[in-house]
Amino acid sequence: MSLGAEYEGEMKNGRMEGKGKYTFPSGTVYVGQFLDGEFHGEGTLEYPGCGEYRATWKHGKVVEGHYVFSDGLKYTDPAEGEWDYCVANGDRRFYSEHVASLRPAGDSQLTDAHPPVRIPAGTYDTGDGYFHEAEQKVYDYDGNFLREPSAEEAKWIATKCRMG
């Protein structure tokens, strides 16, 4: 195993085989079946705070799978048909509104989380934190630096995202 990776589960001949849990150095976790040290059978890649990829694997390669966001919304691949969530000229409700219905009049829902996470005045909500335009940096909701967005992403954020 590489540095920082961890494995808990069944072994055969010194290799991961059977049911197990493999944690990558990034924090991503695979839970499922292994064969000769590879993902094989049913298994899920869990991305902390983002969602998970549920799949059937064969010798380390995906045979069939789908991504589910952390709020339970299943992504629809364009090859599988139209994705009717948040599309141009389509239903613009948040996924939580699809699940729990619309808010009463006067109680507007501005983000998928209700009430929305508080962000500093003059910054933009990016979904994983907030964008400080003057600094050209994105911080998590606790104020820790996340990334410097590309010029294209910064422009998109400033035109599309909720301002605090």
Side-chain angles (χ1 to χ4, degrees):
M1 284 183 257
S2 62
L3 294 175
E6 294 180 16
Y7 176 73
E8 299 171 26
E10 300 172 1
M11 303 280 285
K12 183 176 180 183
N13 298 324
R15 299 187 54 96
M16 301 178 287
E17 189 151 329
K19 293 181 182 178
K21 175 181 174 182
Y22 184 88
T23 304
F24 292 85
S26 65
T28 298
V29 176
Y30 172 82
V31 177
Q33 299 170 320
F34 292 84
L35 178 66
D36 196 26
E38 298 177 316
F39 302 170
H40 189 84
E42 300 299 316
T44 301
L45 280 169
E46 301 169 352
Y47 301 94
C50 298
E52 56 188 32
Y53 188 73
R54 302 172 186 164
T56 301
W57 306 80
K58 185 173 182 178
H59 299 291
K61 295 184 180 175
V62 173
V63 175
E64 181 181 356
H66 62 274
Y67 186 81
V68 179
F69 294 92
S70 60
D71 63 3
L73 173 66
K74 180 180 173 184
Y75 173 75
T76 303
D77 188 291
E80 297 172 1
E82 289 292 318
W83 195 36
D84 62 358
Y85 173 70
C86 234
V87 293
N89 302 317
D91 189 344
R92 300 296 293 176
R93 292 179 292 161
F94 292 103
Y95 182 67
S96 60
E97 292 177 301
H98 282 272
V99 173
S101 190
L102 295 172
R103 311 281 323 155
D107 186 14
S108 298
Q109 186 161 345
L110 302 174
T111 67
D112 193 49
H114 188 76
V117 176
R118 289 179 134 347
I119 59 173
T123 64
Y124 297 90
D125 189 348
T126 60
D128 60 347
Y130 59 89
F131 173 60
H132 192 289
E133 193 169 23
E135 296 178 13
Q136 292 291 295
K137 293 181 180 175
V138 175
Y139 298 91
D140 68 17
Y141 293 118
D142 294 323
N144 302 307
F145 174 78
L146 287 178
R147 67 182 179 281
E148 290 184 18
S150 67
E152 182 181 1
E153 181 186 10
K155 181 179 177 184
W156 187 92
I157 291 168
T159 58
K160 305 284 186 187
C161 295
R162 170 181 75 99
M163 185 179 225

